[in-house]
Amino acid sequence: MDTLNLDRLSKLEGIGCSRKRREDPRFIQGKGNYVDDVKMPGMLFGAMVRSPYAHARILRIDTARALALPGVHAVLTANDLKPLNLHWMPTLAGDVQAVLADEKVSFQNQEVAFVVADDRYIAADAAELVDVEYEELPAVVDPFKALEPDAPVIRDDLQGKDSGAHGARRHHNHIFTWEAGDKDRTARVFENADITVKESMLYQRVHPCPLETCGCVASFDKVRGDLTVYITSQAPHVVRTVVGLLSSIPESKIRVISPDIGGGFGNKVGVYPGYVAAIVASIVLGRPVKWIESRTENLSSTAFARDYHMTGELAADADGRIKALRVHVTADHGAFDACADPTKFPAGMFHVCTGSYDIPNAFVSVDGVYTNKFPGGVAYRCSFRVTEAVYIIERMVDVLAQKLGMDKAEIRLKNFIPKERFPYQTPLGLEYDSGDYDTALRKVMDAVDYRALRAEQARRRADPQAEWLMGIGLCTFTEIVGAGPSKMCDILGLGMFDSCEIRVHPDGSAIARMGTITQGQGHQTTYAQIIATEAGIPASVIEVEEGDTSTAPYGLGTYGSRSTPVAGAAIARASRKIREKARLIAAHLLEVSPDDVEFDLDRYVVKGSPDQFKTMKEVAMAAYNNVPEGMEMGLEAVDYYDPPNFTFPFGAYLCVVEVNRYSGETRVRQFYALDDCGTRINPMIIEGQVHGGLTEGYAVAMGQEMPYDDAGNLLGATLMDYFVPTAVETPTWQTDFTVTPSPHHPLGAKGVAESPHVGSIPCFTSAVVDAFAHLGVTHMNMPHNAYRVWRQSHALGLDKR
Amino acid sequence: MSKKTLVSFTLNGKATDVAVEPRELLIHTLRERCQHTGPHIGCETSHCGACTVDIDGMSVKSCTMLTVQAEGSEILTVEGLAQGGELHAIQEAFMQEHGLQCGFCTPGMITRVYRLLQEIPDPSEEEIRYWIAGNLCRCTGYQNIVKAVQHAAKKLRGEAVQSSHALMAGVAN
């Protein structure tokens, strides 16, 4: 490329540039606009009264003392919501969830009453004054015990219903059973296999814990009859549709605005009782009502992640060639199934669990179970249960390697789907778009000098005095992101397309809006880069907006790393529509046939005559003044993109840990992460996504958990115990990449943001277990905190001086 | 509810009076009375540091201080860092090094770093990580924040410094 073009190219700041973020100037000056920054005339503040019990009947709620407190305007209970039929609300999983508890509470900290007062201090005082009388019931916290014949009934409201949203229910605490694959054929392969291995593991309940908690400001204008809601929502259009369905207000009179969001991480996909209560309170009082939850409320009542009890089995030849996979999962969904998933997939995309390997036979089954815990399941960079899927297969491959005495890298290289087999049909019904796993793993092994690490480990193992055990973890994962094709995927009946609208102004600048919503992933920067490259408009003059349902085109929101695969594709296609119209206008201005005009970065050039051209800026002005006869004026385009398939990014991660045999302390010595997400829009932003995701992975694997005691008390739902690493604990990350484009995506780009979380967690476990592998340890449940690792060390007698 | 107290302090160089109940937390006064919504609230156990402001030469978690305790003090928030439309070197560095994503921890983080770099103008990576350990971030994994602090430190010491994320690095081939 000549210098001139490079100069023009860099001015565009398009695809592939490490463009600095458009969002930053406001955030670094405290000028972001997050929900709790919103202040409206007459605005009141709402606070929840929550259940101290995990399972109890509500005998009586006395609101008199709270209502008598000066500054209190209302105290809502289920009785107030019943006439509106809003004491229960539908969930994305096809179940219902109590908005305010009616006859009973089913998890600790469940919403019982909503106090509305002049400000948050008075609201907190008043919440203390609401007097609730409970009759405690036995709590069920173990999902296996929940399915025992005489287990307490958690959901009285469902009694007598022997089928739910996802088929038959065989027990009062059973939610669904979901299966994929060929059960009988898989069973036959297991019967005849040379080698079989089996391991049970728990992917523990954790929480996405975005730094900004959930909240909203609901404002119903009684005069205009319209509702405006500022909200921490990752899917504001879906919220608008849901609110419309629940309230009977037409969607045209509901405006949902997701302003700047202080991180979502899947926590802000669903609708929470606080939103509903604030909306109802605003409708009743005719004034804006703000609700902002505390950290404890966030950690104890909004969407958790994981809680999959998994048993994996692999069948293989004696030489390590995998023949079959069988997995059973008992999924703890809490008291209401509010698990965010495409409607037809109650276990999300768990069936990607054959991983990066050419496994001819597989069968998975998932049983969802109610317990006296808060609802959720899908959140925290899980890509709809892909975290769990990758964890089980990666762990099982390690277990198999150990049984065979094979190196864990070697067994992976042996079983990888070869790159020429893509698009690859998995035995569980997915079609992987592209991949080159072998190259990726070998690149990582070379970068870290894998052979030398193994040699060092062998020396360490041979030394009986070594205080620090050495573990090497590997994870070679395949993600599935970009939900998704409307024939497979919908949210409450809405196909999972996404959208983009671009309008070019006469001066050549542009406004673009999408149906997704950033929570820090940099869409306002990267989306403009796509338009810059595809339509030749400098990113610096493209305004990108998301989140306002009155202005942005309808979309399904941002989660499941779907923004680049789905909205990114819509952006490219809308840009190309603009480019095509601009070409016709340029030809008209240049007085040549459109066939003789070609697009070149930021202009339209007559073929063979590089001096004869019209810039995009010139074309934009002409679009409002001088267009070919019969052409509509203006220059704008819309695209609603229904993807033909998911995208399947992949990665190869390697981790080296040192484990202290006396204390159980684990130090991460090295973590090397190679991600391949196809075409890279902005390498700087990808790297930031990876750093953040790896840090979450470290937190989940090494410390995060949400334990319950037998009475159903949630332990550690504050930052006193819930492990969020600081800069001191967080390891230094090394990142790398290869580029294997998605053949079906207009840009070849795949999603990536959840990959680092998905891939790093099994990598950490792989490393910690590897530290004990020479002593016969095949698996250790997370989190690998010092106490738990010490227990392993102690059980092996390693802590004896 | 108890009686309100008149409290006077200097906020980003400007004399400010507020009438508050003794129980009012400084973070709420700053955000709700003074419209300085840069400092944020991320927890109620004093861990996250999103509410960090600079008070009389100290980094303070303003969720853990009563407004009445701020009587007579000099308070600096993230809103007061840029001068005459010019970003402070730390703000510029966070942008250049991609030290923020959702931006929620950023005002507290930047305010903390403002004090840190006055206490230790040339900190090692270990010192940076240790001295920002009162500030949690969920997006960045801290690594680029460390780079931003190093970038700002260099700039404040008058050394030449460039973004470690070259604009065209991925494009030229």
Side-chain angles (χ1 to χ4, degrees), chain A residues 191-337:
Chain A
E191 280 160 25
N192 299 318
D194 294 347
I195 304 271
T196 61
V197 288
K198 185 173 184 175
E199 192 77 51
S200 290
M201 58 196 72
L202 169 62
Y203 207 142
Q204 83 279 18
R205 177 177 283 233
V206 290
H207 195 282
C209 191
L211 198 58
E212 178 202 35
T213 60
C214 298
C216 70
V217 180
S219 176
F220 183 71
D221 185 325
K222 279 192 163 167
V223 175
R224 297 162 58 102
D226 58 19
L227 173 70
T228 303
V229 189
Y230 289 85
I231 191 168
T232 50
S233 174
Q234 295 178 227
H237 283 96
V238 177
V239 168
R240 186 185 71 188
T241 302
V242 171
V243 170
L245 289 171
L246 295 180
S247 66
S248 306
I249 302 171
E251 283 192 66
S252 55
K253 282 188 169 290
I254 303 170
R255 184 179 185 187
V256 177
I257 302 169
S258 289
D260 291 325
I261 298 176
F265 310 114
N267 189 230
K268 296 170 177 171
V269 173
V271 170
Y272 294 119
Y275 302 152
V276 177
I279 290 169
V280 172
S282 178
I283 291 172
V284 171
L285 298 167
R287 291 172 69 174
V289 175
K290 179 185 275 191
W291 169 70
I292 305 289
E293 68 185 3
S294 68
R295 171 59 52 205
T296 308
E297 292 176 296
N298 176 255
L299 284 173
S300 61
S301 70
T302 64
F304 71 91
R306 321 299 138 84
D307 223 345
Y308 259 31
H309 298 256
M310 306 186 277
T311 300
E313 294 174 88
L314 282 179
D317 285 352
D319 68 349
R321 175 81 59 188
I322 303 170
K323 293 296 173 191
L325 167 72
R326 187 160 53 194
V327 181
H328 180 261
V329 179
T330 299
D332 186 340
H333 280 233
F336 311 104
D337 188 7

Side-chain angles (χ1 to χ4, degrees), chain A residues 328-663:
Chain A
H328 180 261
V329 179
T330 299
D332 186 340
H333 280 233
F336 311 104
D337 188 7
C339 187
D341 272 319
T343 309
K344 298 184 188 80
F345 297 97
M349 298 296 135
F350 186 74
H351 50 306
V352 76
C353 63
T354 51
S356 305
Y357 314 104
D358 181 16
I359 303 177
N361 304 287
F363 175 71
V364 301
S365 60
V366 180
D367 289 319
V369 181
Y370 291 123
T371 57
N372 288 116
K373 302 178 189 172
F374 65 104
V378 160
Y380 210 5
R381 274 184 161 119
C382 79
S383 314
F384 302 120
R385 301 291 188 186
V386 180
T387 31
E388 291 90 326
V390 166
Y391 192 81
I392 188 79
I393 185 65
E394 289 302 300
R395 291 276 56 242
M396 291 314 300
V397 169
D398 277 10
V399 170
L400 177 63
Q402 231 170 310
K403 173 127 181 186
L404 290 163
M406 258 177 103
D407 182 83
K408 61 169 84 167
E410 187 191 335
I411 197 168
R412 284 171 166 80
L413 290 165
K414 185 173 220 130
N415 285 285
F416 277 153
I417 300 162
K419 67 176 174 184
E420 54 285 349
R421 291 277 303 279
F422 293 90
Y424 173 86
Q425 205 72 41
T426 78
L428 297 176
L430 297 167
E431 186 186 285
Y432 293 0
D433 57 351
S434 63
D436 184 357
Y437 304 146
D438 195 277
T439 302
L441 177 54
R442 288 183 196 281
K443 193 173 182 192
V444 171
M445 290 168 72
D446 288 347
V448 302
D449 198 349
Y450 184 72
R451 202 179 287 252
L453 287 173
R454 282 292 179 209
E456 182 187 348
Q457 185 184 44
R459 288 195 299 277
R460 191 82 64 91
R461 284 176 174 174
D463 173 10
Q465 304 304 316
E467 180 177 353
W468 292 86
L469 310 172
M470 181 174 167
I472 301 169
L474 253 191
C475 176
T476 50
F477 63 92
T478 296
E479 254 272 34
I480 168 169
V481 297
S486 62
K487 58 182 186 292
M488 294 166 69
C489 296
D490 69 278
I491 292 286
L492 297 174
L494 303 158
M496 292 186 73
F497 63 90
D498 225 290
S499 61
C500 169
E501 269 182 28
I502 306 169
R503 186 180 308 152
V504 184
H505 305 312
D507 69 350
S509 65
I511 173 87
R513 299 187 177 99
M514 296 78 182
T516 45
I517 172 69
T518 189
Q519 312 116 45
Q521 305 92 328
H523 293 178
Q524 287 169 351
T525 303
T526 54
Y527 284 176
Q529 292 181 256
I530 297 173
I531 300 169
T533 293
E534 292 294 324
I537 302 167
S540 59
V541 296
I542 301 169
E543 286 296 315
V544 170
E545 292 178 357
E546 303 169 283
D548 184 340
T549 59
S550 287
T551 55
Y554 203 107
L556 274 285
T558 293
Y559 43 83
S561 300
R562 63 187 301 280
S563 300
T564 298
V566 194
I571 297 163
R573 298 207 318 174
S575 302
R576 288 171 191 179
K577 289 173 188 173
I578 285 181
R579 192 165 95 190
E580 179 54 20
K581 183 174 181 184
R583 189 173 66 93
L584 301 178
I585 297 171
H588 167 70
L589 298 175
L590 292 161
E591 297 181 347
V592 297
S593 157
D595 291 342
D596 292 333
V597 175
E598 61 187 2
F599 178 67
D600 176 31
L601 293 180
D602 57 355
R603 64 194 57 185
Y604 298 85
V605 183
V606 177
K607 286 179 190 166
S609 313
D611 296 340
Q612 271 191 286
F613 63 84
K614 290 288 172 189
T615 63
M616 192 63 201
K617 196 176 163 76
E618 291 170 309
V619 170
M621 180 56 85
Y624 291 87
N625 173 36
N626 178 14
V627 297
E629 201 175 321
M631 182 185 277
E632 189 180 350
M633 283 209 173
L635 189 56
E636 60 182 79
V638 183
D639 193 81
Y640 284 70
Y641 184 74
D642 182 9
N645 191 2
F646 291 80
T647 66
F648 297 80
F650 59 93
Y653 290 1
L654 184 140
C655 173
V656 182
V657 296
E658 312 246 7
V659 176
N660 189 292
R661 57 196 275 189
Y662 302 113
S663 68

Side-chain angles (χ1 to χ4, degrees), chain A residues 13-347:
Chain A
E13 296 186 76
I15 293 173
C17 289
S18 284
R19 181 180 186 228
K20 301 300 170 284
R21 295 199 335 154
R22 253 325 246 295
E23 296 89 337
D24 290 359
R26 66 179 187 274
F27 293 152
I28 56 180
Q29 299 184 77
K31 298 294 183 193
N33 185 36
Y34 304 87
V35 168
D36 200 12
D37 301 343
V38 173
K39 206 168 185 179
M40 297 177 83
M43 187 175 77
L44 302 172
F45 196 92
M48 279 291 177
V49 177
R50 293 176 180 273
S51 168
Y53 295 108
H55 199 191
R57 293 209 182 284
I58 295 175
L59 302 179
R60 188 181 57 89
I61 303 177
D62 184 352
T63 61
R65 285 200 303 154
L67 281 167
L69 188 72
V72 173
H73 295 259
V75 182
L76 300 180
T77 67
N79 283 337
D80 300 300
L81 300 182
K82 263 184 210 171
L84 307 165
N85 204 25
L86 281 176
H87 54 316
W88 292 85
M89 63 178 182
T91 67
L92 295 174
D95 192 5
V96 290
Q97 174 175 358
V99 174
L100 295 176
D102 186 9
E103 289 164 6
K104 66 186 272 190
V105 289
S106 302
F107 67 88
Q108 187 179 58
N109 269 7
Q110 187 181 336
E111 299 80 359
V112 174
F114 188 69
V115 176
V116 185
D118 281 340
D119 63 42
R120 68 185 83 210
Y121 285 76
I122 300 171
D125 288 344
E128 294 280 312
L129 295 174
V130 175
D131 191 18
V132 187
E133 197 180 326
Y134 297 94
E135 177 188 290
E136 206 177 346
L137 298 167
V140 190
V141 293
D142 179 336
F144 297 100
K145 287 186 182 157
L147 292 180
E148 287 173 1
D150 56 348
V153 176
I154 295 169
R155 293 289 298 276
D156 303 270
D157 61 304
L158 298 179
Q159 271 188 326
K161 288 191 182 169
D162 54 11
S163 76
H166 305 290
R169 297 174 62 228
R170 62 170 194 271
H171 181 279
H172 52 260
N173 292 330
H174 174 245
I175 310 172
F176 65 84
T177 295
W178 186 81
E179 297 177 345
D182 191 326
K183 186 177 187 174
D184 295 338
R185 210 172 76 182
T186 303
R188 282 198 299 277
V189 176
F190 269 92
E191 280 160 25
N192 299 318
D194 294 347
I195 304 271
T196 61
V197 288
K198 185 173 184 175
E199 192 77 51
S200 290
M201 58 196 72
L202 169 62
Y203 207 142
Q204 83 279 18
R205 177 177 283 233
V206 290
H207 195 282
C209 191
L211 198 58
E212 178 202 35
T213 60
C214 298
C216 70
V217 180
S219 176
F220 183 71
D221 185 325
K222 279 192 163 167
V223 175
R224 297 162 58 102
D226 58 19
L227 173 70
T228 303
V229 189
Y230 289 85
I231 191 168
T232 50
S233 174
Q234 295 178 227
H237 283 96
V238 177
V239 168
R240 186 185 71 188
T241 302
V242 171
V243 170
L245 289 171
L246 295 180
S247 66
S248 306
I249 302 171
E251 283 192 66
S252 55
K253 282 188 169 290
I254 303 170
R255 184 179 185 187
V256 177
I257 302 169
S258 289
D260 291 325
I261 298 176
F265 310 114
N267 189 230
K268 296 170 177 171
V269 173
V271 170
Y272 294 119
Y275 302 152
V276 177
I279 290 169
V280 172
S282 178
I283 291 172
V284 171
L285 298 167
R287 291 172 69 174
V289 175
K290 179 185 275 191
W291 169 70
I292 305 289
E293 68 185 3
S294 68
R295 171 59 52 205
T296 308
E297 292 176 296
N298 176 255
L299 284 173
S300 61
S301 70
T302 64
F304 71 91
R306 321 299 138 84
D307 223 345
Y308 259 31
H309 298 256
M310 306 186 277
T311 300
E313 294 174 88
L314 282 179
D317 285 352
D319 68 349
R321 175 81 59 188
I322 303 170
K323 293 296 173 191
L325 167 72
R326 187 160 53 194
V327 181
H328 180 261
V329 179
T330 299
D332 186 340
H333 280 233
F336 311 104
D337 188 7
C339 187
D341 272 319
T343 309
K344 298 184 188 80
F345 297 97

Side-chain angles (χ1 to χ4, degrees), chain A residues 21 34 39 120 296 733, chain B residues 32 44 101-102 142-143:
Chain A
R21 295 199 335 154
Y34 304 87
K39 206 168 185 179
R120 68 185 83 210
T296 308
W733 310 114
Chain B
E32 296 184 14
E44 59 268 5
Q101 292 178 28
C102 81
Y142 301 104
Q143 200 153 317

